[in-house]
Amino acid sequence: MDLHFSPEEMAFREEVRAFLKDRLPTRIAEKVRTSKRLTKQDMAEWHAILNERGWYANHWPKEYGGPGWSVAQAAIFDIESALAHAPRIVPFGVSMLGPVLIKYGSQAQKDHWLPRILDGTDWWCQGYSEPGAGSDLASLKTSAVRDGDHYVVNGQKTWTTLGQYADMIFCLVRTSTEGKKQEGISFLLIDMKTPGVEVRPIILLDGEHEVNEVFFTDVRVPAENLVGEENKGWTYAKYLLTYERAGLAGVGGSMAAFNHLKEIAQSQRKGGRPLAEDPLFAARLARLEINLENLKITNLRVLAASGSGGSAPLEMSAMLKICGTEIRQEITSLTRRALGPYAQPFVSEALDEGFNGAPIGPDYAAPVAVDYFNNRKLSIFGGSNEVQREIITKALLEL
Ligand SMILES: Cc1cc2nc3c(=O)[nH]c(=O)nc-3n(C[C@H](O)[C@H](O)[C@H](O)COP(=O)(O)OP(=O)(O)OC[C@H]3O[C@@H](n4cnc5c(N)ncnc54)[C@H](O)[C@@H]3O)c2cc1C
């Protein structure tokens, strides 16, 4: 395959760059560049700007409000957005649930939910994991029992990212305990304001409130909120995961973070010369750059091979997930190493807008430790990297 962009794709890249220069609010880009906290309003503001341009649901088909981009265009957009320090699009509604509804939802569900994802009416979160059902997701126990034209839901979800902001949660629930455990799972859409839903924060290693536990006690959910067929939720769940994992390669984000690391390595000194010229550090930088280049090309190859739908085979998205997350973790690790004692942990205020300077060292040093600790999650969520390796092995050995 030709790994160079065509003249049309180069022109598209210029269009994206011009759009980002014109429409990405400087205040938000500056927060992303300096790893400051983004509020829900910041994220929603950026989603609305993208939606106005028709670029928010960038992998949806045109008939549902997507731009009808090729995979190369979508990749160009991701990379340019990250390099311009645009916030990552929050994936739960637009990148996870959207494709599931488009493929498996009823016409009424598409007509109701998709426009509300686009205009930001509903903020979604993902209710897959439970205590005791993470890697072994099919062991999930949260039950949904049919009662007339409702389901009654009881149980607990955990690690629910940004659930504190969510209006709605898409959940995997158990509707049958007979047969194989994968066969008794259904995909249900639940309003977070329904009586019996309770959200409790979990504070992560970096001291931040990003994830939650969500409890369900006799929560009544209209039966029309069941996606597809009862007990077929596992099929829809797996389809969603291919989108989730491919997105986790995070090529653009790593390119931007790597550029930042190189600037730091030039500015810090060791033994009377820039750290970037220290042989040991330079070797690690070089290895990282080579791996990042490989990731960029592999990502394009996988996207191209998976066609315009943007969904890759499980083992391919697993491979991208592993490589992308390991590279990002190595970048955060080297950035921390480059700053040495300046990269102190847990300077929580450093994430606030208006905070000037770290207690010691350059101002960009303060969020570095938080970033390092936060990104430990990358090899765990979306299916841990160990489990991704198993998926690849099974595919290779045709087990
Ligand atoms: C920051 C963060 C955000 C998250 N956000 C969400 C969210 O929004 N919604 C959601 O539903 N979930 C979310 N998750 C949950 C995430 O998907 C799970 O944490 C993940 O699937 C791992 O499950 P677990 O935590 O139960 O670990 P476990 O499954 O208990 O695994 C523990 C360890 O054992 C290893 N292991 C388990 N099974 C195997 C195996 N078969 N072979 C080899 N090693 C194995 C794992 O790799 C891991 O190292 C999030 C997690 C984190 C950390």
Side-chain angles (χ1 to χ4, degrees), residues 204 206 208 210 369-378:
L204 290 179
D206 60 0
E208 291 293 293
E210 183 176 305
V370 178
D371 209 34
Y372 170 86
F373 284 112
N374 184 272
N375 280 311
R376 297 307 97 194
K377 70 188 176 190
L378 296 179

Side-chain angles (χ1 to χ4, degrees), residues 258 281-292 334:
F258 184 69
F281 199 87
R284 277 183 81 173
L285 271 183
R287 196 176 314 126
L288 195 47
E289 189 155 17
I290 291 165
N291 288 342
L292 186 51
L334 268 191

Side-chain angles (χ1 to χ4, degrees), residues 92 125-137 157-162 204 210-211 244 374 376-387 390:
F92 305 110
C125 63
Q126 178 186 25
Y128 273 27
S129 307
E130 297 181 6
S135 303
D136 184 15
L137 186 58
K157 296 293 171 182
T158 192
W159 306 118
T160 318
T161 302
L162 302 184
L204 290 179
E210 183 176 305
V211 296
E244 181 176 0
N374 184 272
R376 297 307 97 194
K377 70 188 176 190
L378 296 179
S379 44
I380 303 172
F381 69 16
S384 77
N385 285 12
E386 290 81 9
V387 171
E390 245 181 45

Side-chain angles (χ1 to χ4, degrees), residues 144-394:
V145 178
R146 187 75 185 239
D147 178 24
D149 54 5
H150 282 73
Y151 285 95
V152 179
V153 178
N154 279 286
Q156 183 198 341
K157 296 293 171 182
T158 192
W159 306 118
T160 318
T161 302
L162 302 184
Q164 72 269 35
Y165 297 149
D167 306 292
M168 297 289 301
I169 181 168
F170 54 86
C171 273
L172 295 181
V173 290
R174 182 153 301 286
T175 36
S176 168
T177 49
E178 281 165 26
K180 276 174 67 181
K181 55 189 179 184
Q182 286 84 353
E183 285 164 8
I185 292 172
S186 299
F187 196 105
L188 203 57
L189 313 177
I190 304 179
D191 188 330
M192 296 289 276
K193 291 181 292 300
T194 321
V197 178
E198 189 194 346
V199 181
R200 294 186 202 158
I202 301 175
I203 304 302
L204 290 179
L205 200 58
D206 60 0
E208 291 293 293
H209 176 195
E210 183 176 305
V211 296
N212 303 271
E213 297 176 289
V214 182
F215 294 85
F216 302 90
T217 311
D218 294 331
V219 175
R220 293 185 69 78
V221 181
E224 67 203 31
N225 284 13
L226 177 78
V227 175
E229 290 176 52
E230 197 175 89
N231 298 328
K232 292 278 192 290
W234 191 247
T235 305
Y236 320 144
K238 282 196 300 186
Y239 177 70
L240 181 148
L241 284 175
T242 60
Y243 279 86
E244 181 176 0
R245 283 175 195 152
L248 289 173
V251 176
S254 282
M255 285 168 68
F258 184 69
N259 290 345
H260 184 51
L261 167 62
K262 281 203 295 194
E263 284 164 18
I264 293 174
Q266 281 298 344
S267 67
Q268 296 297 306
R269 300 189 73 77
K270 186 179 171 199
R273 59 185 172 188
L275 181 61
E277 290 172 21
D278 172 76
L280 289 178
F281 199 87
R284 277 183 81 173
L285 271 183
R287 196 176 314 126
L288 195 47
E289 189 155 17
I290 291 165
N291 288 342
L292 186 51
E293 282 302 310
N294 285 339
L295 178 72
K296 271 157 58 180
I297 301 296
T298 310
N299 194 40
L300 282 178
R301 279 179 45 215
V302 171
L303 287 174
S306 63
S308 57
S311 155
L314 268 181
E315 67 276 15
M316 289 307 221
S317 44
M319 184 176 71
L320 286 174
K321 200 251 163 179
I322 295 169
C323 296
T325 55
E326 286 184 350
I327 286 171
R328 189 58 185 268
Q329 288 183 335
E330 171 71 352
I331 294 173
T332 60
S333 179
L334 268 191
T335 306
R336 205 161 169 237
R337 188 171 277 265
L339 284 162
Y342 298 142
Q344 295 184 90
F346 305 130
V347 187
S348 177
E349 300 76 14
L351 302 186
D352 290 331
E353 212 175 350
F355 175 83
N356 283 318
I360 51 165
D363 64 350
Y364 54 77
V368 161
V370 178
D371 209 34
Y372 170 86
F373 284 112
N374 184 272
N375 280 311
R376 297 307 97 194
K377 70 188 176 190
L378 296 179
S379 44
I380 303 172
F381 69 16
S384 77
N385 285 12
E386 290 81 9
V387 171
Q388 302 311 306
R389 287 192 166 86
E390 245 181 45
I391 290 172
I392 295 170
T393 311
K394 279 184 183 157

